[in-house]
Amino acid sequence: MTILFAIVAMLTLLPALMGLFNFILVRPPAKGSGTPEVAILIPARNEEATIRACVEAALASKDVDVEVIVLDDGSTDATAEIVLKIAESDPRLRLERAPALPTGWKGKTHACHVLSTMTARPFMLFLDSDVRLAPDAVSRLIPRQTMDFVSGVPRQEIRTFADLAVIPMINTLIYFYLPVALMRRRSTDPSLAAACGQLIMVRRSSYLAAGGHAGIANAMHDGMRLAANFRRNGFPTDLVDATGIASCRMYSNARDLWLGFGKNATEGMARPVALPVWTLLLGGGLVAPFVLAPFAWLAPADWGARFLLISVVLLIFSRMMQAIKCEEPASAVIVMPLGVLATLAIQWNALVGYLAGRTVVWRGRVYRPRM
């Protein structure tokens, strides 16, 4: 058992220490100077439940000169009517209609591409319609002179047990497994790209030079793919802590959560070579230590057992720091192993589905997954 304890301890220590370093490195963005001109671009398809709060928060932005453009992408609900009603009293808002989806494009990438052609402002903020911005969010996301792309994970609203288990895994994967220091040192390395598609600010000139969303037309994982494409074309990207400047309620039920996380899984973790490695890292580092900890406790003289128990304590402390930093419920710390297992189940289901030739249905459109 000594060797098993030691191996699991090392797999546990990696995310525990990485997290503690990254909590320091990933910081809220600082407020800029002046009054920059920004276009807030919101793709919307059947978003009547969230679009009003999203648009009103965007229009409440301070210390920036904003225009807000909502692209109605074939909605069959009241999305367009809600936006038009708000636009009647605020000329900074306008509603546009998306053309038919061309072959070879995914819905969101096409909508974002169309939106990018509707403004000449030097900065563009691509914003999901379920995100609500703080008044100072836009001014703080403006890229500094050496940066062309800034993204961050908003505070995720947790309302159900499925949310509690799975949604915090977004931040767990970033803080525990992304080498942020190396990501910034090698700021144009596509393999180290990291972004959240819910909230992306870009310098327009760099966006156009990198090919914009046209360069990732067929991608479902638009945030990660756009960041990688920026880097591939020599434009640096960065990741900031957006907890205090934006919030998001991603999915209203467990079914949508399963489908939402699974729809783009094969463009990220769920690949034939990558997924077994991730299963070892996540299962061995975030689940196995809690299974083995009681046995280690009963073998206090075993050096491997002591090593494992120390690693477990550090992991729990690191996970508690994530909960504090990302404003997650304390109970999210307790259910983390369940969240890991659920995440791996989603990923393996996506990979098996891809190999079996299954399609993905999202927002009423049928897509074939890609890698």
Side-chain angles (χ1 to χ4, degrees), residues 44 115 137 173 250 279 324-325:
L115 282 163
L173 290 169
M250 289 185 70
T279 301
I324 294 170
K325 185 177 181 67

Side-chain angles (χ1 to χ4, degrees), residues 53-65:
C54 176
V55 168
E56 289 179 344
L59 290 169
S61 298
K62 296 181 179 179
D63 301 318
V64 284
D65 179 357

Side-chain angles (χ1 to χ4, degrees), residues 105-121:
W105 286 79
K106 294 297 192 297
K108 184 181 177 184
T109 54
H110 181 246
C112 289
H113 166 71
V114 172
L115 282 163
S116 73
T117 68
M118 295 177 170
T119 183
R121 299 212 167 193

Side-chain angles (χ1 to χ4, degrees), residues 142-180:
I142 298 295
R144 60 185 185 274
Q145 289 297 322
T146 58
M147 194 57 56
D148 297 283
F149 176 117
V150 176
S151 182
V153 180
R155 178 178 61 81
Q156 301 296 317
E157 296 183 6
I158 306 293
R159 298 183 187 176
T160 68
F161 183 77
D163 291 345
L164 184 68
V166 179
I167 297 295
M169 286 299 298
I170 298 172
N171 284 310
T172 296
L173 290 169
I174 290 173
Y175 285 109
F176 284 11
Y177 293 98
L178 176 67
V180 172

Side-chain angles (χ1 to χ4, degrees), residues 63-78:
D63 301 318
V64 284
D65 179 357
V66 300
E67 66 173 355
V68 180
I69 308 174
V70 177
L71 188 74
D72 178 24
D73 189 12
S75 297
T76 56
D77 63 3

Side-chain angles (χ1 to χ4, degrees), residues 51 84 94 103 107 116 134 187 206 230 234 256 283 334 362:
I51 193 66
L84 287 172
R94 73 178 196 261
T103 302
S116 73
S187 62
S206 304
F230 261 68
D256 285 350
I334 300 171
W362 187 249

Side-chain angles (χ1 to χ4, degrees), residues 304-315:
R306 292 197 299 271
F307 184 18
L308 176 60
L309 291 173
I310 292 170
S311 298
V312 168
V313 171
L314 283 172
L315 178 63

Side-chain angles (χ1 to χ4, degrees), residues 121-149:
R121 299 212 167 193
F123 299 101
M124 301 187 298
L125 175 62
F126 293 99
L127 186 70
D128 278 6
S129 59
D130 50 9
V131 175
R132 294 188 300 279
L133 298 171
D136 63 342
V138 180
S139 65
R140 292 172 64 177
L141 286 168
I142 298 295
R144 60 185 185 274
Q145 289 297 322
T146 58
M147 194 57 56
D148 297 283
F149 176 117

